[in-house]
Amino acid sequence: MTKPPLTILLASPRGFCAGVDRAIGIVDEALRRYGPPVYVRHEIVHNKYVVQQLQAKGAIFVEELDEVPDDAVVVFSAHGVPKAVPAEAKRRELIMADATCPLVSKVHREVERHHAAGHQVVLIGHEGHPEVIGTMGQVPKGSVVLVQDVEEVATLEVEDPERLAYATQTTLSVLDTAGIVTALKERFPAIHGPRSEDICYATTNRQQAVEMIAPNADLTLVLGSPNSSNSQRLVEVALRSGCPRAALVDRAEMLDWSLLDGVTVMALSAGASAPEVLVDDMIVAAQERFDVEVREIKTAEERVVFKLPPMPAARAS
């Protein structure tokens, strides 16, 4: 039988960012240096495939430090942690490695500077997200208030409108965040902003790439796990850009292929925590069902690399 035609508009940039590469490299290096098991507090990045690959090598993922035995090696995830977490790990004399993305650490330092200057911080982000929890945990409780949308700005209660600053989660929608920042500045004209944009380069680039290709597609597929904020935002960007349908899927084997019924042009991207192998697998799976033409659309070059930090010394046996 003749396969139906399918044009895949492949977003570029897509997939892993420098912070994710670094975080995974830290777990791999910890496993090489210390041997398994290595404990990782929270998923190192929000991708099921990546987590499963590291588990197969001997990584054990936990939610809290009390799940980590004494004398163990623990790695903190790319999303960052409250200051109380490394303090407790130090108290317990655990061997610890911090895989917090440097761009998240930048936001942490901003929040600390604003707090030291006597400013209450308004954090734009998603309640309960590990990055938000980590950022709010850099300063004493009550020093940071969270807003999630423009509507919350209207009812926001602050200690002193003249002594305010704002920061943002790094994986937000660029457009939504701009709207919230505008609302904050209109209501609190004296508010201080970050020295440079908090939303990370990779989040911005991936959203712009999807914004470019999605209007020309019948369907946009984003490879990424449901708990990945930056992947979820790509789906939203696709729909907002005019694509009639968009979906998030972990990997090809989990896709309901009926989604592609009647589709002749599909936009394809991957969140910043999704490895390129998942993109390759999706294209191969599509080729089994369709006569596929792949057109890669490049909207930006990425050359950012974050070096691995020095690893702590192993204990003498």
Side-chain angles (χ1 to χ4, degrees):
M1 290 180 62
T2 303
K3 295 177 182 178
L6 177 67
T7 299
I8 295 178
L9 303 179
L10 185 58
S12 178
R14 61 182 178 275
F16 275 3
C17 62
V20 166
D21 264 330
R22 175 180 178 272
I24 294 169
I26 288 171
V27 178
D28 279 332
E29 177 61 16
L31 286 164
R32 185 195 69 79
R33 178 172 295 214
Y34 309 114
V38 165
Y39 290 81
V40 183
R41 185 188 180 277
H42 195 71
E43 292 185 355
I44 187 69
V45 297
H46 283 159
N47 186 269
K48 188 180 297 183
Y49 177 88
V50 170
V51 168
Q52 290 172 344
Q53 294 295 304
L54 292 173
Q55 284 174 326
K57 297 178 182 179
I60 297 175
F61 291 87
V62 299
E63 286 303 308
E64 299 297 344
L65 278 188
D66 58 16
E67 301 171 62
V68 178
D70 293 336
D71 300 322
V73 177
V74 63
V75 178
F76 304 139
S77 81
H79 311 97
V81 295
K83 276 190 171 179
V85 174
E88 173 62 10
K90 184 177 181 180
R91 185 193 69 78
R92 291 183 54 193
E93 299 183 345
L94 300 174
I95 297 174
M96 57 178 167
D98 188 359
T100 301
C101 173
L103 298 179
V104 174
S105 295
K106 167 183 165 287
V107 178
H108 289 181
R109 303 295 81 80
E110 285 172 1
V111 169
E112 287 180 317
R113 282 196 299 270
H114 287 310
H115 176 69
H119 295 114
Q120 187 179 24
V121 178
V122 179
L123 178 63
I124 303 169
H126 297 296
E127 187 174 9
H129 190 279
E131 184 183 330
V132 166
I133 294 170
T135 299
M136 295 181 77
Q138 299 306 303
V139 290
K141 190 173 181 179
S143 304
V144 179
V145 290
L146 181 68
V147 295
Q148 302 184 80
D149 52 41
V150 170
E151 289 72 22
E152 290 187 3
V153 174
T155 58
L156 182 62
E157 295 183 4
V158 301
E159 295 169 358
D160 182 353
E162 299 301 313
R163 301 195 66 77
L164 274 184
Y166 74 87
T168 79
Q169 185 179 332
T170 63
T171 55
L172 300 177
S173 159
V174 174
L175 187 60
D176 288 345
T177 304
I180 297 170
V181 169
T182 297
L184 282 170
K185 289 179 176 178
E186 287 176 352
R187 186 164 177 220
F188 306 109
I191 196 167
H192 295 264
R195 294 174 182 172
S196 60
E197 180 61 63
D198 283 344
I199 296 177
C200 86
Y201 78 94
T203 296
T204 301
N205 288 347
R206 279 147 191 73
Q207 288 181 22
Q208 289 176 344
V210 167
E211 191 174 25
M212 175 71 72
I213 64 176
N216 302 313
D218 307 310
L219 169 71
T220 298
L221 277 187
V222 176
L223 291 163
S225 293
N227 59 342
S228 166
S229 175
N230 73 84
S231 300
Q232 292 278 9
R233 302 295 79 76
L234 293 179
V235 174
E236 295 170 1
V237 168
L239 293 170
R240 182 181 285 154
S241 301
C243 188
R245 291 185 296 150
L248 180 67
V249 62
D250 259 307
R251 53 193 307 181
E253 63 191 42
M254 300 178 71
L255 176 62
D256 176 1
W257 286 93
S258 68
L259 280 175
L260 275 75
D261 290 349
V263 171
T264 58
V265 180
M266 181 180 78
L268 180 62
S269 186
S273 48
E276 185 68 8
V277 64
L278 300 185
V279 176
D280 296 339
D281 289 349
M282 181 62 73
I283 292 173
V284 169
Q287 289 170 334
E288 293 171 356
R289 298 164 172 84
F290 299 90
D291 180 13
V292 172
E293 177 189 2
V294 178
R295 297 181 192 167
E296 185 171 28
I297 313 296
K298 181 170 288 190
T299 55
E301 291 281 351
E302 292 185 347
R303 297 186 175 88
V304 179
V305 176
F306 295 136
K307 293 181 179 180
L308 267 60
M311 301 296 285
R315 287 194 189 87
S317 55

